[in-house]
Amino acid sequence: MFSSLRGSSVIVTGGTKGIGKGIAGVFASENAGVLLVGRDEDAGRAAAEELSASGGEVSFVRADVSIGRDCDRIAEAATERYGGVDVLCANAGIFPQRPIREMSEEDIDDVIGTNLKGCILLVKACLPALERSGRGRVILTSSITGPITGFPGWSHYGASKAAQLGFMRTAAIELAGSGITVNAILPGNIATEGLGDLGDSYSAAMVASIPMRRLGTAQEIGHAALFLASLEAGYITGQAIIVDGGQILPESLAALEG
Ligand code: NAP
């Protein structure tokens, strides 16, 4: 089977809820040291307490990934608490729905600032520690929206998620010599607090378009992240793994009938 991640140091941004919490729970149950990152202190502390029960050592640092000095503090906290950074899961993201006609400059800055700039700032901040690890792993949470599909209201979001893959490909080349891999997971529709905010009718419409006829779970994204973090995945870099229950496959609604 796969080598153990016991004692590894893992950062999960947006680890306080949703997909990030699912990823963090999977690494915690492998007895890794897991640093959760988010802006809401109460939610962060509660998530760390809950996930600690599953085995690993889980703690929280309050930080905003769109701010450079906060990203530096994240890398410092992981190094102080868990001895370095072996795995960086850059997962924090926002997805406010806004048609282009109504989109403000601030809307664009918020989405690009968190989803794209935050991801680049964090990789830069963690780079010295990832290099020291000797087996560093960067795992980005992108999306099917942007790189593969589109949906009205998410043009800025889709652009940010597609741009993450552009960053990934060059980062994978630049960091390969340091033994660091850089890959992305492209989730389809995953049952999270953030998705829940979009309403029941949104989820129902999505389920109807997914061949597996259900939303994904945060743990299913966590398992893909665990594979990419494993020593055995050390020759995979610059790649995107779609985890979507087959959502991108149907050519038309007719493909889903019967
Ligand atoms: P969610 O339930 O809304 O959780 C988002 C997480 O990100 C929270 O922990 C939030 O904590 C954190 N966060 C947001 N902005 C942040 C910032 N500036 N700095 C630090 N932390 C921040 O969202 P989700 O559904 O789990 O989505 C997680 C990631 O998966 C996102 O990148 C999203 O684009 C991607 N994704 C989700 C789906 C889906 O179906 N759910 C599909 C494809 C891709 P605070 O609010 O406390 O900061």
Side-chain angles (χ1 to χ4, degrees):
M1 253 322 266
F2 291 105
S3 315
S4 171
L5 279 159
R6 177 182 289 272
S8 299
S9 172
V10 180
I11 295 172
V12 186
T13 66
T16 61
K17 56 182 177 172
I19 289 176
K21 192 172 164 197
I23 294 172
V26 168
F27 281 105
S29 62
E30 295 292 313
N31 295 295
V34 183
L35 183 71
L36 310 180
V37 180
R39 294 162 302 175
D40 181 336
E41 183 106 37
D42 292 342
R45 292 198 183 286
E49 200 170 312
E50 184 191 329
L51 293 178
S52 293
S54 59
E57 215 183 304
V58 184
S59 64
F60 168 72
V61 64
R62 186 182 178 285
D64 182 335
V65 297
S66 68
I67 299 172
R69 60 183 179 282
D70 278 23
C71 292
D72 293 339
R73 281 199 301 107
I74 294 166
E76 284 160 19
T79 301
E80 276 166 24
R81 296 179 199 180
Y82 305 121
V85 181
D86 300 301
V87 181
L88 168 60
C89 298
N91 166 83
I94 54 172
F95 37 95
Q97 193 172 17
R98 201 84 72 235
I100 298 165
R101 281 179 216 291
E102 296 166 20
M103 200 178 281
S104 67
E105 193 172 339
E106 194 183 351
D107 291 332
I108 301 168
D109 285 343
D110 283 350
V111 168
I112 301 293
T114 299
N115 299 1
L116 177 61
K117 184 180 148 200
C119 158
I120 300 172
L121 284 172
L122 196 64
V123 170
K124 183 173 188 295
C126 292
L127 206 42
L130 286 164
E131 280 170 342
R132 281 195 298 276
S133 162
R135 48 136 309 166
R137 297 282 187 271
V138 176
I139 302 165
L140 312 177
T141 306
S142 174
S143 176
I144 58 170
T145 310
I148 314 278
T149 63
F151 198 100
W154 280 301
S155 60
H156 53 347
Y157 173 76
S160 74
K161 293 290 161 177
Q164 285 184 332
L165 301 190
F167 168 71
M168 171 191 77
R169 293 190 182 98
T170 291
I173 297 170
E174 283 192 26
L175 308 188
S178 305
I180 300 168
T181 68
V182 188
N183 293 291
I185 299 171
L186 277 56
N189 280 270
I190 310 300
T192 65
E193 290 87 336
L195 193 89
D197 291 344
L198 301 173
D200 290 344
S201 63
Y202 174 87
S203 292
M206 285 299 152
V207 168
S209 69
I210 298 170
M212 288 191 181
R213 301 292 194 203
R214 65 172 178 86
L215 300 177
T217 67
Q219 287 73 24
E220 286 170 319
I221 305 303
H223 289 130
L226 183 63
F227 167 66
L228 290 171
S230 69
L231 282 181
E232 287 76 5
Y235 202 52
I236 301 174
T237 195
Q239 299 305 308
I241 298 183
I242 296 170
V243 184
D244 73 341
Q247 184 170 356
I248 64 160
L249 300 176
E251 279 186 23
S252 74
L253 291 176
L256 290 163
E257 287 167 7

